[in-house]
Amino acid sequence: MLDEKTIQIVQSTAPVLKEHSTAIGKRFYKLLFEKAPDLYNVFNQTNQKRGLQQEALGYSVYAAGEHITNLDAIKPVIERISQKHRAIGIKAEQYPVVGETLLQAVKDVLGDAATDEIIEAWGKAYGYIADAFIELEQKLYEETKSQPGGWEGYRNFIVEKKVEESDEVTSFYLKPEDGKAIATYKAGQYLTIKAKVPGEKYTHIRHYSLSEAPGKDYYRISVKREDEHDSSPEGIVSNYLHKQIQTGNSLPVSAPAGDFVLQQDDLPVVFISGGIGITPLFSMLQTLLNEQTKPKITFIHSTRNSKTHAFHEDVKQLINENSDIKSLVCYDSPTEEDKASKNFDKEGYIDLDFLKSNVATKEANFYLCGSLPFMDAIIKALREWEVPSERIHYESFSPVAILGE
């Protein structure tokens, strides 16, 4: 345990680190890649260009410092990061260089304000926090490897089939190259792909949600092709998968991971997805429908229009087969054909009035997945509706840890 003086220094200076979090994050990654260029093979370079990784680092450092005496208060953040670390293969021996680099970045950004006493205190705090991560991640490694069909590191999977789900989304059906059993997973979890993209100096690692209920002898991921737009660069891996990976090709995959899973209780369930955020929620929907006792389910999906609407027909079929599902669709840019066929329920975005009008009760578990602005807006609406935080569950397809602040 940390001494009182260290705790006092860390907690009193945490707000200062928060104020300078973006600059610290940028400096940290510049230094880190200079010291250990092989880590380019691990970190998402697209998120680096967008500044998301830097922002996430700054937030995590501040949050850990603020809650240094009660890490349980940020348990969801720790669990989420640990799951990702296990998935991409972060090891205990990599933590020291990260700690050294982080302290150097703090000193470089804060200058004389980062006294030796402050740096020493944060060094002790980092060691304490790193030990918590290492212990949890070691447990995850052991559990993953020892489970039936489990493995450590990456295992080659063959693309058995590709299926277009919309103009932007393609599903990939993956079977193990060695023909052996595969590990099961919980609905909502993801696979991690290591892509060796032609022309790229480093490998690229990406997480993709499993988009089908568990229990099959294959995995299915459904990937949105990320095109270049505004200031966002083209998705290197999504375009590689869509355009270059064909049936019969092999992909290195790590075992399923993730903390975004169904809660075990009898409350009604409300799924709210935006765009490609439908993937983990569709897996959850299928899983619930396979249960003997099904809760009341409301499935709300928002996307631009029918051209970008993945799994539309699949959800319709499930509704026809199950009377316990209520499905609603929102298009913010419906086509003329959409308007003529009236194949959606609301033009525009999901808001609190829409939720109150279509969700039978706020006494439910709400599962959200979509873009950061989408989820931030939904979470704020649910909080305004006074839905307790413990019943709002979400998956973020970015490194940013906490929404709705």
Side-chain angles (χ1 to χ4, degrees):
M1 189 62 188
L2 298 171
D3 60 88
E4 285 300 322
K5 184 179 179 182
T6 296
I7 291 169
Q8 189 275 323
I9 293 173
V10 167
Q11 289 185 326
S12 65
T13 55
V16 180
L17 266 66
K18 181 182 182 182
E19 182 183 349
H20 297 277
S21 60
T22 300
I24 291 170
K26 288 180 179 178
R27 182 61 179 158
F28 165 80
Y29 281 111
K30 184 176 187 301
L31 291 170
L32 185 66
F33 292 137
E34 288 173 357
K35 289 182 180 181
D38 59 306
L39 289 178
Y40 275 117
N41 293 301
V42 175
F43 288 97
N44 186 323
Q45 294 308 306
T46 301
N47 283 339
Q48 287 285 322
K49 291 175 182 176
R50 292 173 177 168
L52 295 176
Q53 208 110 42
Q54 297 88 328
E55 182 182 349
L57 172 78
Y59 176 86
S60 300
V61 171
Y62 159 71
E66 184 183 38
H67 299 285
I68 194 66
T69 59
N70 179 26
L71 292 181
D72 280 348
I74 55 169
K75 189 177 179 181
V77 178
I78 293 174
E79 289 184 349
R80 186 157 295 181
I81 294 172
S82 293
Q83 287 278 350
K84 288 186 184 272
H85 282 181
R86 197 285 298 160
I88 65 178
I90 296 295
K91 298 294 187 181
E93 55 266 26
Q94 292 174 303
Y95 274 87
V97 68
V98 171
E100 293 166 10
T101 307
L102 179 60
L103 295 177
Q104 183 61 54
V106 170
K107 194 160 185 62
D108 288 353
V109 171
L110 299 185
D112 293 341
T115 64
D116 290 344
E117 186 178 50
I118 289 173
I119 293 297
E120 182 182 357
W122 275 94
K124 290 179 181 178
Y126 175 83
Y128 176 69
I129 296 163
D131 286 344
F133 275 100
I134 290 168
E135 182 180 352
L136 177 55
E137 287 159 19
Q138 184 57 40
K139 183 180 177 183
L140 290 173
Y141 278 114
E142 291 170 359
E143 289 176 350
T144 302
K145 186 178 180 180
S146 63
Q147 68 179 314
W151 70 94
E152 185 174 354
Y154 288 86
R155 181 177 171 189
N156 286 335
F157 277 70
I158 300 297
V159 177
E160 184 185 51
K161 183 169 60 172
K162 286 177 67 174
V163 176
E164 289 188 9
E165 308 290 359
S166 75
D167 284 3
E168 300 175 333
V169 178
T170 294
S171 287
F172 296 79
Y173 291 73
L174 308 171
K175 280 197 168 184
E177 192 174 71
D178 58 20
K180 296 180 180 178
I182 58 175
T184 190
Y185 57 92
K186 295 178 180 178
Q189 291 190 307
Y190 53 79
L191 284 187
T192 301
I193 304 290
K194 181 188 286 186
K196 298 177 181 178
V197 182
E200 290 288 319
K201 183 177 181 181
Y202 300 100
T203 58
H204 292 267
I205 294 176
R206 296 292 187 274
H207 308 296
Y208 293 109
S209 294
L210 289 146
S211 59
E212 216 171 13
K216 313 289 194 305
D217 64 349
Y218 61 86
Y219 295 133
R220 185 180 79 174
I221 58 172
S222 302
V223 180
K224 178 189 175 187
R225 186 190 67 252
E226 296 290 349
D227 298 321
E228 182 179 0
H229 61 90
D230 300 327
S231 58
S232 296
E234 177 183 276
I236 294 171
V237 179
S238 67
N239 276 273
Y240 166 67
L241 293 174
H242 274 250
K243 299 173 183 177
Q244 298 187 48
I245 291 297
Q246 304 300 329
T247 301
N249 289 161
S250 176
L251 290 169
V253 175
S254 74
D259 65 327
F260 181 57
V261 296
L262 288 165
Q263 303 303 300
Q264 300 298 316
D265 56 39
D266 298 323
L267 289 173
V269 171
V270 182
F271 295 117
I272 308 175
S273 57
I276 192 58
I278 195 173
T279 49
L281 302 191
F282 187 52
S283 174
M284 289 181 174
L285 174 63
Q286 292 173 302
T287 300
L288 283 180
L289 294 177
N290 289 336
E291 301 284 337
Q292 285 190 336
T293 304
K294 306 175 184 64
K296 287 288 185 181
I297 300 170
T298 304
F299 196 89
I300 305 172
H301 183 58
S302 174
T303 186
R304 290 200 302 277
N305 50 52
S306 58
K307 294 182 180 296
T308 62
H309 191 162
F311 306 121
H312 192 190
E313 293 303 317
D314 302 81
V315 173
K316 281 173 64 176
Q317 181 177 339
L318 291 176
I319 293 166
N320 292 334
E321 297 170 354
N322 297 272
S323 59
D324 289 328
I325 311 175
K326 179 180 181 180
S327 174
L328 296 155
V329 174
C330 298
Y331 288 161
D332 59 77
S333 301
T335 65
E336 291 304 318
E337 185 178 339
D338 292 331
K339 293 176 181 178
S341 62
K342 298 180 180 178
N343 58 355
F344 61 99
D345 301 283
K346 173 181 167 61
E347 181 173 354
Y349 299 101
I350 299 169
D351 54 25
L352 182 54
D353 288 340
F354 180 78
L355 293 174
K356 285 182 174 180
S357 300
N358 292 286
V359 176
T361 175
K362 65 179 179 179
E363 302 299 321
N365 277 310
F366 291 81
Y367 295 88
L368 324 176
C369 192
S371 68
L372 290 175
F374 171 85
M375 288 196 295
D376 200 42
I378 301 298
I379 290 171
K380 286 174 179 173
L382 293 176
R383 288 182 178 170
E384 186 180 340
W385 201 12
E386 299 181 339
V387 176
S389 295
E390 61 268 21
R391 293 211 304 271
I392 303 173
H393 319 281
Y394 62 85
E395 177 71 295
S396 168
F397 293 162
S398 87
V400 179
I402 295 293
L403 294 169
E405 293 296 307

